[in-house]
Amino acid sequence: MSLTAPLRGIVPPVCTPLDSQGEVDTASLARLVEHLIGGGVHGLFALGSTSEVAYLTDEQRATALKTVVDVTDGRVPVLAGVIDTTTARVIEHGRAAAALGADALVATAPFYTRTHGKEIAQHFRRLRAAVDLPLFAYDIPVSVHSKLSSALVRELAEDGTLAGLKDSSGDEGGLRRLIVELGGRDGRENGPAPRFSVLTGSELTVDAALLAGVDGVVPGIGNVDPAGYVRLYDAARAGDWEQAAKEQERLVQLFAMVDVGPEADMGRSSSALGSFKAALQLLGVIECGDTAFPQIQLSDESIALVSGFLRAAGLTPVR
Amino acid sequence: MSLTAPLRGIVPPVCTPLDSQGEVDTASLARLVEHLIGGGVHGLFALGSTSEVAYLTDEQRATALKTVVDVTDGRVPVLAGVIDTTTARVIEHGRAAAALGADALVATAPFYTRTHGKEIAQHFRRLRAAVDLPLFAYDIPVSVHSKLSSALVRELAEDGTLAGLKDSSGDEGGLRRLIVELGGRDGRENGPAPRFSVLTGSELTVDAALLAGVDGVVPGIGNVDPAGYVRLYDAARAGDWEQAAKEQERLVQLFAMVDVGPEADMGRSSSALGSFKAALQLLGVIECGDTAFPQIQLSDESIALVSGFLRAAGLTPVR
Amino acid sequence: MSLTAPLRGIVPPVCTPLDSQGEVDTASLARLVEHLIGGGVHGLFALGSTSEVAYLTDEQRATALKTVVDVTDGRVPVLAGVIDTTTARVIEHGRAAAALGADALVATAPFYTRTHGKEIAQHFRRLRAAVDLPLFAYDIPVSVHSKLSSALVRELAEDGTLAGLKDSSGDEGGLRRLIVELGGRDGRENGPAPRFSVLTGSELTVDAALLAGVDGVVPGIGNVDPAGYVRLYDAARAGDWEQAAKEQERLVQLFAMVDVGPEADMGRSSSALGSFKAALQLLGVIECGDTAFPQIQLSDESIALVSGFLRAAGLTPVR
Amino acid sequence: MSLTAPLRGIVPPVCTPLDSQGEVDTASLARLVEHLIGGGVHGLFALGSTSEVAYLTDEQRATALKTVVDVTDGRVPVLAGVIDTTTARVIEHGRAAAALGADALVATAPFYTRTHGKEIAQHFRRLRAAVDLPLFAYDIPVSVHSKLSSALVRELAEDGTLAGLKDSSGDEGGLRRLIVELGGRDGRENGPAPRFSVLTGSELTVDAALLAGVDGVVPGIGNVDPAGYVRLYDAARAGDWEQAAKEQERLVQLFAMVDVGPEADMGRSSSALGSFKAALQLLGVIECGDTAFPQIQLSDESIALVSGFLRAAGLTPVR
């Protein structure tokens, strides 16, 4: 499904179900894709941080992306993360994703090395030139330890390098400034980058982000409750901000599941991704809730807490 | 004006006008207070970061606070920052502020030293016990380099230590979680801390914060355009979120003035506070736009840029 | 004792003993000064971070400094920390310290506010002009969250603003570069700042720092074992680097006492300063080992661990 | 050359010369290996940060490693960096390196994802089990944004998971503590991990590190002047610390070349690696001084500055 207009709506980062050997469970992944599309989402983001892309070998990445593309079968656009340290390596992932049928690429700034704005600009430009797919910049300082400046994003938006931004920086004020600079919530189509799409990864303030004028949302916990985010989105698009805020509050309560893992015993990634996968397993969507090695697995006690969060949010565990 | 109910509304952090010798210009400060109250604000926050409290001697702090309290004369509550490294020093500022007639205190976690959640809890509890005024916790990691955890704020809210939170952390998702935990946007009065007041310092996303359920806002650039923030607040309270967002967009454009100082030549504080004071000077509210030593002063070129931002936002410079 | 030549040798940051009410225990402080001078140290640094300066009121700071100056009585130079957020406040501390008889001042870059190299330069220059005492720059990013650049220190060393640097940055490579730029270990007296004194606060690598060419050392744990650091210094000055390293290893083992406080329960400051004070109490130097509020006090179990570290290092507790 | 004893001596991280198309220039790399071995180094570290590993595709990595292994031909051990985000990907690099003849592996903690000590321990253990080669932990917080704790390194040293540590953390005090805990400079062979090798990447304080008891050194600028570092090492081993310090000072002056790139225009990596490669090109060792895309290339003016640094350090450019 080619991206001929700005991407809009709910675009969850698709979890990658693993079997007990740590290999991609394609049957579970197919069910997850159906769960998401059935929930009404407007696009899918494969091989993002929530997909545990950093833990997957190139072969596993290909298996996961191919599964998502094949099962989706053009019903919604599929964005593919091309996450690696620098340009040459990212281009290889980009070519692989294009060959597998991705509709767009999502790339971060260089990481591991210390980088600079001028380098980042060259990086995105060469990637765009090397792979003929719409390109989204993925601003995720918690992972890459640099922040994309507003000036850089604008420059790359205005010259057509970027089709959009996936903002996971948590800097809502900065994102608001960018939106205003691009023409504001009502004037983007007449602004300097009319086809540029602004997506937020800030899943706890989606009502606010939509009020501010973002085009779409990439909510990790949207794996668990895609229909909830779609309702939130529809309420906002209809101008029913009270209803949007109410739905957001329910999802904030559900999101608290990310803290079920005891802090002293496991990393943030282990706990949050573990809770999402445990929820999907409890809901019967995926077979096994394991996260990729070397993440620490949730205990049975933690999984029981996840079950409680699901019930409290009106979702019914089947196991 | 005693704080008998949760504080609500627009509560600007009051700039401290200085004369060309660097001393507090009380006549200008009096005009600024009238400018703010005339703009319809619901409270004033003296001796905060935007007041350049870190640059003022104890005597200058007293002069500034006394002026704000006297000129306000009970029309709105006056909150006083008690900014210092640790408890004993903060208590001294708190006693001075109480003697000068402040209605509430605003204190940060300890800084300069490396601290810990248990120490921070003791810090706020002893301060509350030592000075009989409502106490607001000031969460400002950019200055104190620690973040108040949601659990800590809840604990101190529920046991009555804190009357409120002034959140300048920029963590909008975390603030949303706190609000939900306290009962949500519609149920706070029946929640675990019914009289607790949540104020945000995130001046670029005020519409969003009000939608999320904050009680009030502490906007630095509210010094320049208090009436704009009051209009934004009123629209939100009336449920007119489209209008609130529109007003917010105008204020975001105005806020861009904080970048007029060339980055290579001056600190963020010099540039942002310098632009606020230049704007107040251009608007005829204060006599001299200087910031406190050793901040770098804005050039004439930068001041001309500020003037342009004012006109673009519909404010008319008189000089 | 006026500082007419570069300061050299062991200059411990003097702990501030408190009584059980949290007030400065001047009798214990006098004993501590004798303990240090008796150990052969070459100077004393009062009101530094290890002195808990950030926890002391202005009155307590004055009491502590006066006691150190009076008891020292000119036998070694006394440096006084003038720790506060920005210039005007620091100058007030500087004037107070000069009046109390300090031989030199030690000041950090501005903190709490976000600062800039140009502001820091102005800050040190105005402070030097306002108080007629030799001035040391205190580079302590862990507290003030900015790093003094090598270029800035050189500029202020060469123009006579600074008499020296107290480096607590932990950046040993950067310090080595500075020393080389100033003429190196053997040519400083013919270099661009012949009277500039480089002091390190890196107490675990003192042999290395002396080999690199530092003039002196400010070791926190020198409160506990001043004679050990003096032996280390003397060995280094005599060119007996094997002996210096051996002494350093013994002191590294002793230093491990800073970790006796359980990490989950207390801040780094509480644990490290608590262990120093517990050791001084166990050695009979000070009456009470309490650290200033709101630091968490060491448990009896932790104090017993400190006692073990003392014995292992050949120091004999008397309680 | 199998590593049957603790690795000791100078082990430069080998630069990866590129041609003007950005491909590995194996002829230049072969000359560089001869330059290093001819300088007397005791080992080679291929595919480290200084080798621009983060910029090389898997195929380029293989070409570079194969060239180093083949040219070295067993004269010194060759360590291979296996730099990737998490365990499964790192194991793939490890197997490739083993097949190409590496004598040992060097791996970091997981990056891009947020990790935890327990995960890091699992990561190193599984890697060690999967590839039968001695394993060095690479502590490089500036790249991976977590620090290996001393307790973790000790645990993995004592149970035989790790053959050594390559410390690029800059925390010299922490490294000193680790060495003391492992038995100190004179007692390591009787300590808890007798065959564990401690290598430092802190190239400006090598004399100090050797005095503290490190086994070896991994100096980036050792590419340019390997013989200088070997002289430094030999002086230290002979106990001639004055001579070691003198040699170190000369190398510190040479190292200043890393700052020739204008800060506003390029990243730290571009400037430092660019200066190393420019120096190797000027010395006639490699054909082309380009760094990998998207790093910014040094200007002719900057290269002229590098030439001046070489001459000042007694090295003679041939171009």
Side-chain angles (χ1 to χ4, degrees), chain D residues 20-319:
Chain D
S20 59
Q21 308 306 309
E23 293 302 324
V24 179
D25 173 357
T26 55
S28 286
L29 180 50
R31 280 196 302 274
L32 175 55
V33 169
E34 292 299 346
H35 171 66
L36 296 172
I37 295 179
V41 305
H42 309 87
L44 295 172
F45 173 30
L47 303 183
S49 306
T50 301
S51 315
E52 299 176 88
V53 66
Y55 297 91
L56 303 178
T57 62
D58 287 355
E59 192 181 333
Q60 291 172 326
R61 292 185 187 195
T63 300
L65 178 58
K66 185 175 187 323
T67 303
V68 173
V69 168
D70 288 355
V71 176
T72 298
D73 196 24
R75 287 178 286 175
V76 297
V78 175
L79 285 66
V82 286
I83 307 302
D84 217 315
T85 48
T86 65
T87 318
R89 297 181 68 83
V90 172
I91 287 174
E92 294 204 337
H93 294 296
R95 288 181 176 143
L100 291 167
D103 297 303
L105 304 182
V106 185
T108 71
F111 56 92
Y112 185 87
T113 187
R114 281 176 283 182
T115 192
H116 184 278
K118 290 194 182 180
E119 293 176 351
I120 300 173
Q122 291 194 167
H123 169 75
F124 283 119
R125 286 206 175 97
R126 183 168 288 191
L127 174 59
R128 183 64 188 85
V131 188
D132 189 23
L133 281 177
L135 177 61
F136 288 73
Y138 193 174
D139 193 17
I140 184 164
V142 73
S143 290
V144 306
H145 302 278
S146 68
K147 171 91 183 73
L148 299 180
S149 76
S150 172
L152 176 65
V153 172
R154 278 192 58 184
E155 178 186 328
L156 297 173
E158 293 178 20
D159 72 8
T161 301
L162 295 179
L165 170 71
K166 196 251 166 167
D167 181 76
S168 295
S169 72
D171 178 10
E172 312 309 331
L175 191 64
R176 188 63 169 271
R177 286 186 72 174
L178 176 69
I179 291 170
V180 169
E181 288 167 7
L182 292 173
R185 56 201 301 274
D186 291 325
R188 303 264 299 285
E189 66 283 356
N190 302 314
R195 299 194 38 199
F196 188 77
S197 182
V198 178
L199 311 178
T200 180
S202 297
E203 54 204 316
L204 303 182
T205 52
V206 169
D207 50 350
L210 290 166
L211 181 59
V214 302
D215 298 287
V217 185
V218 187
I221 203 167
N223 280 280
V224 179
D225 192 4
Y229 275 100
V230 171
R231 284 195 299 273
L232 197 174
Y233 181 76
D234 289 344
R237 283 288 168 257
D240 188 349
W241 298 103
E242 302 291 337
Q243 185 56 35
K246 200 168 156 184
E247 188 67 37
Q248 178 68 79
E249 289 204 337
R250 192 184 59 81
L251 291 162
V252 167
Q253 288 174 309
L254 180 64
F255 184 82
M257 69 164 65
V258 302
D259 292 329
V260 296
E263 195 181 339
D265 289 344
M266 59 202 314
R268 175 74 178 165
S269 172
S270 295
S271 179
L273 297 180
S275 73
F276 294 169
K277 288 184 134 181
L280 288 169
Q281 198 265 351
L282 290 165
L283 292 172
V285 178
I286 70 176
E287 195 63 35
C288 163
D290 284 3
T291 49
F293 188 88
Q295 292 170 94
I296 309 294
Q297 304 306 320
L298 289 184
S299 65
D300 290 346
E301 290 73 17
S302 293
I303 293 173
L305 292 173
V306 170
S307 190
F309 278 107
L310 290 174
R311 290 178 195 281
L315 302 173
T316 311
V318 298
R319 323 193 196 214

Side-chain angles (χ1 to χ4, degrees), chain A residues 241-314:
Chain A
W241 297 103
E242 303 291 336
Q243 184 57 33
K246 199 167 157 187
E247 188 67 38
Q248 178 68 79
E249 288 204 337
R250 191 184 59 82
L251 291 162
V252 168
Q253 287 173 309
L254 179 64
F255 184 82
M257 70 164 64
V258 302
D259 292 328
V260 295
E263 195 181 339
D265 289 345
M266 58 201 317
R268 176 73 177 167
S269 171
S270 297
S271 179
L273 297 180
S275 73
F276 294 168
K277 288 184 134 182
L280 288 170
Q281 198 266 350
L282 290 165
L283 292 172
V285 178
I286 70 176
E287 195 63 37
C288 162
D290 284 3
T291 49
F293 188 87
Q295 291 170 94
I296 309 294
Q297 304 306 320
L298 290 185
S299 66
D300 290 346
E301 289 75 16
S302 293
I303 293 172
L305 292 173
V306 170
S307 189
F309 279 107
L310 290 173
R311 290 178 194 281

Side-chain angles (χ1 to χ4, degrees), chain C residues 264-286:
Chain C
D265 290 344
M266 60 201 314
R268 176 74 179 167
S269 171
S270 297
S271 179
L273 296 180
S275 74
F276 294 168
K277 288 184 133 180
L280 288 170
Q281 198 265 351
L282 289 165
L283 292 172
V285 178
I286 69 176

